[in-house]
Amino acid sequence: EPVEPDEPTMTQVETDVIEENYDRIKHFFNIELGMNNYLENGSTPSSNAAYNVRPWGSWYVALGWVNKFRASQKFSIDAGLNFSWYNFKFQNDDTYVIRGDEGVEFTPNPDMLDASFKKSKLTVAYINASVVPTLNLGKNGYRQGFRIGVGMYAGYRIGSYFKVKYDDGDKRKKKNHDSFYLNDFRYGVRVQTGFRGTDLFFNYDLNELFREGRGPELNAFTFGIVF
């Protein structure tokens, strides 16, 4: 007589369900909010440097989409496309960013205004693409436990401007859209880690912010939270 196959045990059934109970592709809309700064020859710029920025107030913002391609329960690849903004808020509120004939210049109050300066900043906008392989250690898939990913990104500059605010009896502001000898491309390393519903990120640009010989040798970085 034919032998009936053994019925799967409850443990086997539960295991099969867990292994198959995840989507191969997930889509997310992400908001990244953090702080940015830069390093000069591996360390933060001197406090006397005119381009020294305030850590608090130098905000980084990114808006974009991420597709999570899941190869297994533990491993995935996050491919993203976003728009991001560096906001470098200078330590000295009267600092101007000027495109000179030979390079970018950081000059305090070049118009010699008799005014109270409130804020001075350089903003740079990019469109970026990223690929981040991620190890997911949660038992029941993504966002159920600890995860960590290390990958790369590349971006193209789509805009930049300098803005200063001051009060000379009336509240005023000046804004100048220019390239300021900024590099059109950026690329770097991204580390992202999370636990359950919270993710943190760190980006470091491997290339310099300004073109070679046209500005200080600065490598931008940013860190923050993903919503």
Side-chain angles (χ1 to χ4, degrees):
E1 296 182 0
V3 179
E4 293 293 331
D6 293 336
E7 291 294 327
T9 66
M10 183 60 68
T11 301
Q12 289 173 327
V13 172
E14 290 177 350
T15 301
D16 291 343
V17 170
I18 290 174
E19 288 179 350
E20 296 299 330
N21 188 24
Y22 63 84
D23 296 329
R24 292 291 182 181
I25 303 176
K26 284 183 176 290
H27 310 281
F28 301 94
F29 178 79
N30 282 350
I31 300 174
E32 297 178 3
L33 179 62
M35 292 182 288
N36 53 243
N37 206 323
Y38 33 60
L39 298 179
E40 184 174 26
N41 298 320
S43 61
T44 55
S46 166
S47 59
N48 296 324
Y51 45 83
N52 192 34
V53 301
R54 296 181 179 180
W56 186 257
S58 294
W59 296 106
Y60 174 87
V61 180
L63 307 173
W65 300 265
V66 174
N67 293 318
K68 177 175 283 292
F69 301 94
R70 304 211 50 191
S72 69
Q73 193 75 17
K74 301 295 184 183
F75 181 76
S76 63
I77 296 177
D78 295 359
L81 181 70
N82 69 19
F83 296 92
S84 67
W85 291 263
Y86 279 136
N87 289 282
F88 299 106
K89 186 178 180 181
F90 298 111
Q91 189 71 45
N92 297 320
D93 293 331
D94 63 347
T95 297
Y96 278 58
V97 183
I98 300 171
R99 180 186 172 95
D101 293 336
E102 301 297 326
V104 64
E105 300 173 4
F106 299 87
T107 306
N109 192 5
D111 297 329
M112 301 299 292
L113 297 174
D114 184 14
S116 174
F117 287 85
K118 305 299 182 182
K119 181 171 67 174
S120 172
K121 73 172 185 176
L122 174 66
T123 297
V124 192
Y126 298 90
I127 183 171
N128 312 283
S130 62
V131 177
V132 182
T134 302
L135 182 64
N136 306 290
L137 301 180
K139 290 184 179 180
N140 294 318
Y142 182 68
R143 292 190 181 276
Q144 298 302 311
F146 178 76
R147 55 195 172 274
I148 185 169
V150 180
M152 300 288 293
Y153 60 85
Y156 179 77
R157 185 179 61 85
I158 55 176
S160 52
Y161 66 87
F162 161 73
K163 182 167 71 172
V164 61
K165 290 184 176 181
Y166 60 93
D167 190 335
D168 62 356
D170 293 314
K171 293 183 179 179
R172 304 181 187 277
K173 65 180 179 180
K174 290 186 176 182
K175 193 173 184 180
N176 182 22
H177 288 266
D178 197 283
S179 68
F180 301 109
Y181 299 104
L182 291 156
N183 268 316
D184 288 331
F185 293 94
R186 67 186 284 241
Y187 59 90
V189 177
R190 178 180 177 90
V191 178
Q192 185 167 326
T193 183
F195 181 74
R196 298 198 175 182
T198 302
D199 282 271
L200 303 175
F201 73 93
F202 175 80
N203 291 342
Y204 179 77
D205 288 1
L206 295 175
N207 68 318
E208 294 177 5
L209 184 64
F210 296 99
R211 300 176 195 171
E212 184 177 0
R214 297 290 190 170
E217 298 176 358
L218 305 175
N219 294 84
F221 69 88
T222 185
F223 58 91
I225 189 169
V226 181
F227 295 96

